[in-house]
Amino acid sequence: MKKLSTLLFISGLTTGVLVTSAIGQGGLGSLIFPDVPVGSYYDASIGEMASLGIITGFADGTFKPNDPLSRGQAAVLMKRLRDEIKGITSSSSSRSSVSSSSSSSSSSSSSTSSSSSSSSIPSSGLVRFTASQYRVNEDAGTVTVTLVRAAGNRGVVTVDYTLVADSATEDEDYEKQEGTVRFDSGVTSARFDLAILDDQDQEGDETFKITLDNITGGAGRTTPDEATILINDDETASSSSSSSVADGPEEGTFKFSALDFAASEEIDTATIRVVRTGGDTGSVSVNYGMTNGTARSSNYNSTSGVLNFSGGETEKTFTITILDNSDMGGNKTVNLSLSNPTGGAEIGDSTALLTIYDDENSSFGSGSLKLSHTEFEVLESDGEAIITIKRLGGAMGEVSVKFKTISNTATAGSDYENVDEIIVFKDGEASKTVIIPVLKDLVSDGGESVNLRLQDPTGGATIITPSTAILYIY
């Protein structure tokens, strides 16, 4: 993730017209290209490589970070990188754009497209908002809006902004305001505040818009060139809060109790738990079934059936007969599934995996616990981060481990909600998840981090590496 080298980043990038960066080495690609996500793991790398002229953008000011890279484009990038390292001044032809359009079939048309597109981006840049939507609490008083000048920074540029009522009402929910934002030569970012008015009405969330007009200094515009301000009503429990998670039906949502289960070949049966979460109203049912993964009929008896839940019941089990053999064939897997909920219930995670441990090759004990990765990533807009804890080397008996979040550059209460809880693995459960609520703020801070830790195992389990990890919030 954050440790990838520049060369690895280059292998997935598409080039276009040359862009003059205003941010210098170590800047952010998201300040140059509107389609580079702020705080993404490649944000700084794109910014630095663009500032050196090694990678470039397209005529519309975008970068297209997920587009494929052709062999021809890779050759151009490698040459630019070589020239930068050796201090060679490249000719204009070597800095020309490389079109990624699949419709450009001839070298002459590609060259013509390159030549015309290279002059289509003004050296004074393209103006845009940093986000298409900003969210603010009604009692916050103000919301800060940021404009950036991408793909160029020459000369003085001004742009007018105007507020347009939507479901929010001017001078009741926000103050009427219009103004002019000025970018001095070399400046690529500017901010202004809007006043938010608090009232006592229970009116739900409301929105108004900001539009841009009258751009001077030869600059152009790119998307997003309109932004929406969403005001969270503090008299109403806001259903649109970024930290809220949509509630399921009152009849409940079915899912397996774990992502993965494990059983030893020498154990007669494996017990699989299905839980009903988020509600337990009324009588409901769900079908279960299984298919071969790497396991075959010599490893287990396949079965299917229906689990019936009465009102108030939240957990049911079914069993799978495990067949012992003398083959040294290694561990085998079975795919588990849920389907056909009834009574108004729904299905959440509909699949899980059962691993049958080969007792000729490995022992099966209480297991060792670890985090699935050393680094995790989440967007603020996702509302939650899902962290996986794995139990390896056996799943015999019930064990537990404490999971903790520890503030690093992110702050508990404003960037995420602190988690400090005991995670219980019941007999046979081999992989569980922890949810960390992520809070959306109004500050474009380029990514923050939270430390994660496992400690204090019980039930005979041990902790192995990685027992710590970092969650990056973008």
Side-chain angles (χ1 to χ4, degrees):
M1 293 181 184
K2 288 183 172 292
K3 299 176 182 177
L4 292 176
S5 71
T6 298
L7 288 179
L8 290 178
F9 284 114
I10 287 176
S11 67
L13 303 181
T14 304
T15 61
V17 300
L18 178 62
V19 172
T20 301
S21 170
I23 57 178
Q25 295 188 17
L28 298 178
S30 57
L31 293 178
I32 306 172
F33 306 107
D35 57 341
V36 173
V38 175
S40 57
Y41 67 87
Y42 47 77
D43 193 354
S45 295
I46 290 176
E48 183 170 348
M49 292 298 98
S51 72
L52 296 172
I54 294 171
I55 57 177
T56 60
F58 286 83
D60 61 358
T62 64
F63 186 73
K64 308 186 192 308
N66 296 316
D67 273 16
L69 185 74
S70 71
R71 289 169 61 86
Q73 292 166 339
V76 172
L77 292 178
M78 294 302 103
K79 182 180 185 303
R80 291 175 184 168
L81 183 60
R82 183 208 65 174
D83 291 349
E84 178 65 30
I85 293 172
K86 292 189 173 183
I88 299 173
T89 302
S90 298
S91 65
S92 59
S93 59
S94 69
R95 292 285 183 173
S96 63
S97 80
V98 183
S99 172
S100 68
S101 171
S102 59
S103 63
S104 299
S105 57
S106 70
S107 60
S108 61
S109 62
S110 175
S111 175
T112 302
S113 172
S114 172
S115 175
S116 61
S117 63
S118 64
S119 61
S120 62
I121 297 182
S123 61
S124 48
L126 303 171
V127 178
R128 66 174 175 89
F129 291 101
T130 57
S132 59
Q133 184 182 90
Y134 296 81
R135 188 185 303 272
V136 61
N137 290 329
E138 187 180 44
D139 59 359
T142 61
V143 56
T144 299
V145 177
T146 303
L147 290 176
V148 293
R149 178 164 53 152
N153 69 331
R154 294 182 182 176
V156 175
V157 167
T158 65
V159 56
D160 295 341
Y161 67 87
T162 304
L163 309 188
V164 180
D166 191 14
S167 56
T169 303
E170 185 180 279
D171 291 334
E172 291 183 11
D173 300 304
Y174 66 94
E175 285 187 4
K176 179 180 179 180
Q177 183 176 327
E178 58 185 31
T180 300
V181 176
R182 176 186 171 97
F183 294 85
D184 289 328
S185 184
V187 175
T188 59
S189 178
R191 296 182 176 185
F192 58 93
D193 291 333
L194 303 177
I196 305 300
L197 305 178
D198 194 2
D199 58 32
Q200 304 304 312
D201 298 331
Q202 186 171 328
E203 53 199 356
D205 297 347
E206 297 176 302
T207 61
F208 65 94
K209 298 182 182 298
I210 316 172
T211 61
L212 300 179
D213 200 5
N214 299 326
I215 302 176
T216 70
R221 70 174 70 199
T222 187
T223 57
D225 56 357
E226 179 180 280
T228 299
I229 307 296
L230 189 150
I231 305 172
N232 291 325
D233 183 18
D234 56 5
E235 282 78 35
T236 306
S238 173
S239 62
S240 63
S241 171
S242 63
S243 62
S244 66
V245 178
D247 294 330
E250 61 181 12
E251 293 83 7
T253 299
F254 294 119
K255 66 178 183 177
F256 289 103
S257 65
L259 296 178
D260 300 301
F261 298 85
S264 175
E265 186 180 48
E266 61 186 354
I267 299 174
D268 292 336
T269 60
T271 299
I272 308 298
R273 292 175 179 81
V274 176
V275 295
R276 179 188 188 187
T277 64
D280 58 8
T281 301
S283 297
V284 296
S285 67
V286 65
N287 291 4
Y288 67 87
M290 60 201 68
T291 58
N292 290 341
T294 56
R296 297 295 181 262
S297 59
S298 60
N299 304 117
Y300 76 108
N301 288 337
S302 180
T303 184
S304 61
V306 179
L307 299 177
N308 295 298
F309 291 72
S310 300
E313 289 187 316
T314 58
E315 182 177 310
K316 292 284 186 175
T317 64
F318 63 90
T319 59
I320 302 174
T321 300
I322 306 298
L323 305 178
D324 195 1
N325 59 47
S326 58
D327 296 337
M328 298 182 65
N331 298 342
K332 304 296 183 181
T333 60
V334 181
N335 301 314
L336 310 176
S337 63
L338 298 176
S339 62
N340 300 326
T342 67
E346 297 179 350
I347 291 179
D349 297 327
S350 61
T351 61
L353 190 73
L354 168 65
T355 300
I356 303 173
Y357 276 67
D358 183 3
D359 60 0
E360 279 78 33
N361 283 326
S362 59
S363 59
F364 191 82
S366 301
S368 299
L369 302 169
K370 70 168 191 172
L371 293 165
S372 62
H373 296 87
T374 57
E375 294 181 345
F376 298 86
E377 291 184 336
V378 65
L379 298 176
E380 285 184 349
S381 57
D382 290 340
E384 63 182 25
I386 301 176
I387 309 300
T388 301
I389 303 173
K390 291 185 172 292
R391 183 184 188 185
L392 305 178
M396 185 181 297
E398 182 174 302
V399 302
S400 69
V401 67
K402 177 179 281 191
F403 175 87
K404 295 183 64 174
T405 56
I406 304 167
S407 292
N408 191 347
T409 57
T411 303
S414 60
D415 298 306
Y416 71 99
E417 291 184 10
N418 189 52
V419 176
D420 186 349
E421 63 180 81
I422 303 297
I423 309 302
V424 177
F425 288 76
K426 293 185 178 181
D427 182 45
E429 294 180 339
S431 181
K432 307 271 283 192
T433 58
V434 182
I435 303 297
I436 302 176
V438 175
L439 308 177
K440 185 173 179 62
D441 57 30
L442 299 171
V443 180
S444 178
D445 39 35
E448 298 171 307
S449 61
V450 184
N451 294 327
L452 313 177
R453 178 185 297 168
L454 296 180
Q455 62 185 55
D456 304 331
T458 68
T462 60
I463 293 178
I464 60 175
T465 303
S467 61
T468 60
I470 298 177
L471 169 64
Y472 294 100
I473 302 174
Y474 299 123

